[in-house]
């Protein structure tokens, strides 16, 4: 199979802004259709494989349920059974898998390893999280915000926390959709320069604003949504204690929420460390949409599977 336009989902830059808009609409459409009529079996007879180097609850379960509800089948591989790049080269693993399955859903530490996998796989590769990006999470947020707010252009998303993989993908999403993205983080925990350079043209093109701010209370003054995530990402546990000291003033709690407009929503990528980056009172408040977003991982990823495996879905 020769790969063409939108053949993998490694970052949201694999899509044009128009394709991204259509993908969000497709996920909303298919969610409604599923609630009214049940499974559509569009991927009957198709098989995906999940290769995860890190733990996962939401991503693994939602990809498997998505595939089953679309009539297909998903195989879960334990990382030690594959050892990408160790037991055999990434290239050879990609060549083998491409002969058997219709898509590869991979969660890797290194983003470069995922890119290498996609370069050699002739079937679509989907990023289920790398150290640099988490596009599926951003797509689920887009669907959730659409349900809650309707029009997304011009909304202010304030990410309070580390400039991590989730922040990178959310910033990319905002750039595509003409939203404003404000990262409120301690000094030294900004997003990588190379990611900022890549997404700046999107903000310019669609009229959104990208900003980094080191004062969380100031940053949330006009927030429509506060987004947060764990302070220590998977695989970086050795930095835990040192990082927590920097991030304490960036906890999403009632005091911070009081600085934001009343309509401001709050969400979290999950899993949350309650009492660290977010308090119980905020996470369980009526303003919290984190479990709606978790639910929408299923619907957003169904749209991704359909868009990559069924020709013409985004046209
Ligand atoms: N948000 C998210 O990706 O959750 P998991 O790590 O449980 O998959």
């Amino acid at each position: 199979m020769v790969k063409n336009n939108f053949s993998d989902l490694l970052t949201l830059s694999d899509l044009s802004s128009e394709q991204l808009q259509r993908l969000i609409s497709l996920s909303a459409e298919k969610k409604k259709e599923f609630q009214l009529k049940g499974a559509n079996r569009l991927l009957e007879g198709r098989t995906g494989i999940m290769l995860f180097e890190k733990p996962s609850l939401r991503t693994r379960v939602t990809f498997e349920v998505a595939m089953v509800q679309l009539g297909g089948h998903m195989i879960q591989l334990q990382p030690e059974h594959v050892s990408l790049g160790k037991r055999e080269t990434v290239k050879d693993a990609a060549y083998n898998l491409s002969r058997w399955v219709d898509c590869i859903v991979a969660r890797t530490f290194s983003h470069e390893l995922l890119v290498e996998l996609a370069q050699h796989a002739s079937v679509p590769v989907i990023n289920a999280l790398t150290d640099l990006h988490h596009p599926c999470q951003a797509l689920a947020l887009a669907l959730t915000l659409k349900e809650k707010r309707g029009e997304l252009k011009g909304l202010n998303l304030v990410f309070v926390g580390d400039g991590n993989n989730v922040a990178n993908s959310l910033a990319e999403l905002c750039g595509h959709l003409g939203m404003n993205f404000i990262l409120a983080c301690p000094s030294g925990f900004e997003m990588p320069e190379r990611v900022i350079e890549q997404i700046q043209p999107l903000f310019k093109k669609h009229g959104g604003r990208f900003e980094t701010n080191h004062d969380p209370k100031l940053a949330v003054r006009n927030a429509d949504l506060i987004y947060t995530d764990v302070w220590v990402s998977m695989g970086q546990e050795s930095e835990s204690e040192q990082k927590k000291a920097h991030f304490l003033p960036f906890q999403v709690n009632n005091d911070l929420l009081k600085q934001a407009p009343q309509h401001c929503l709050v969400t979290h990528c999950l899993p949350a460390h309650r009492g660290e980056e977010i308090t119980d009172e905020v996470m369980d408040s009526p303003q919290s949409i984190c479990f709606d977003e978790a639910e929408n991982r299923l619907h957003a990823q169904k749209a991704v599977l359909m868009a990559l495996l069924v020709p013409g879905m985004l046209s």
Side-chain angles (χ1 to χ4, degrees):
M1 184 200 284
V2 178
K3 289 197 179 181
N4 50 29
N5 184 25
F6 186 43
S7 49
D8 300 299
L9 179 66
L10 307 187
T11 77
L12 292 186
S13 298
D14 289 343
L15 291 147
S16 67
S17 301
E18 293 70 30
Q19 285 174 320
L20 178 64
Q21 293 271 13
R22 286 203 291 276
L23 191 60
I24 297 165
S25 301
L26 181 68
S27 52
E29 239 170 70
K30 295 296 167 187
K31 178 176 178 180
K32 204 172 281 174
E33 186 185 290
F34 178 74
Q35 287 166 340
L36 290 172
K37 301 186 198 159
N40 72 18
R41 320 285 302 169
L42 212 60
L43 298 185
E44 185 128 35
R46 312 295 284 274
T47 305
I49 191 137
M50 281 195 276
L51 289 173
F52 278 46
E53 291 181 340
K54 302 182 184 191
S56 167
L57 172 71
R58 279 147 291 274
T59 312
R60 286 178 75 137
V61 173
T62 50
F63 264 113
E64 176 132 13
V65 173
M67 197 58 151
V68 168
Q69 288 183 353
L70 290 169
H73 181 68
M74 200 58 106
I75 299 170
Q76 304 253 8
L77 271 187
Q78 297 307 318
E80 63 272 21
H81 292 169
V82 188
S83 291
L84 274 177
K86 294 182 192 117
R87 188 163 178 264
E88 62 191 306
T89 62
V90 173
K91 180 162 87 171
D92 286 347
Y95 288 162
N96 277 272
L97 290 170
S98 300
R99 300 287 177 116
W100 308 316
V101 299
D102 297 287
C103 69
I104 302 169
V105 181
R107 170 170 287 197
T108 57
F109 284 94
S110 148
H111 189 76
E112 286 67 32
L113 190 148
L114 187 81
V115 171
E116 191 184 347
L117 188 66
Q119 275 167 351
H120 297 291
S122 58
V123 295
V125 173
I126 301 170
N127 182 352
L129 180 146
T130 63
D131 284 352
L132 208 56
H133 289 279
H134 198 0
C136 293
Q137 191 71 45
L139 290 171
L141 186 263
L143 172 58
T144 313
L145 258 191
K146 195 116 191 130
E147 291 171 344
K148 305 286 177 192
R149 288 281 180 262
E151 178 60 47
L152 302 186
K153 195 172 170 66
L155 290 185
N156 296 319
L157 188 161
V158 182
F159 188 97
V160 181
D162 194 10
N164 66 7
N165 47 7
V166 178
N168 293 342
S169 289
L170 290 172
E172 217 172 5
L173 179 85
C174 290
H176 272 298
L177 300 179
M179 292 169 63
N180 304 313
F181 179 90
I182 299 103
L183 172 67
C185 68
S187 190
F189 295 93
E190 294 82 7
M191 287 163 48
E193 271 307 317
R194 64 177 164 136
V195 174
I196 297 175
E197 271 168 32
Q198 259 176 9
I199 58 175
Q200 286 290 10
L202 284 175
F203 285 95
K204 204 164 171 190
K205 183 172 174 195
H206 298 287
R209 194 176 77 252
F210 175 89
E211 228 181 85
T212 303
N213 193 314
H214 299 305
D215 179 343
K217 289 189 173 163
L218 198 64
V220 302
R221 280 284 156 83
N222 295 309
D224 296 297
L225 175 76
I226 295 174
Y227 205 111
T228 192
D229 192 11
V230 289
W231 293 335
V232 181
S233 296
M234 280 181 277
Q236 298 169 356
E237 287 77 8
S238 61
E239 301 167 17
S240 182
E241 287 315 307
Q242 184 208 1
K243 256 187 145 176
K244 279 180 192 168
H246 287 286
F247 279 90
L248 260 182
F250 291 80
Q251 184 185 64
V252 178
N253 53 31
N254 267 346
D255 277 352
L256 186 69
L257 209 48
K258 276 185 202 143
Q259 307 299 317
Q262 276 193 339
H263 71 265
C264 180
L265 300 170
V266 182
T267 191
H268 191 302
C269 168
L270 305 178
H273 291 171
R274 287 169 176 259
E276 287 187 14
E277 72 278 358
I278 191 165
T279 56
D280 283 331
E281 62 203 7
V282 173
M283 195 154 155
D284 299 326
S285 74
Q287 283 163 276
S288 167
I289 57 166
C290 56
F291 298 109
D292 297 320
E293 183 181 333
E295 177 189 333
N296 280 337
R297 294 289 306 272
L298 171 64
H299 304 290
Q301 289 159 199
K302 261 191 200 173
V304 169
L305 289 168
M306 285 187 274
L308 286 169
L309 295 178
V310 182
M313 267 287 160
L314 292 189
S315 51

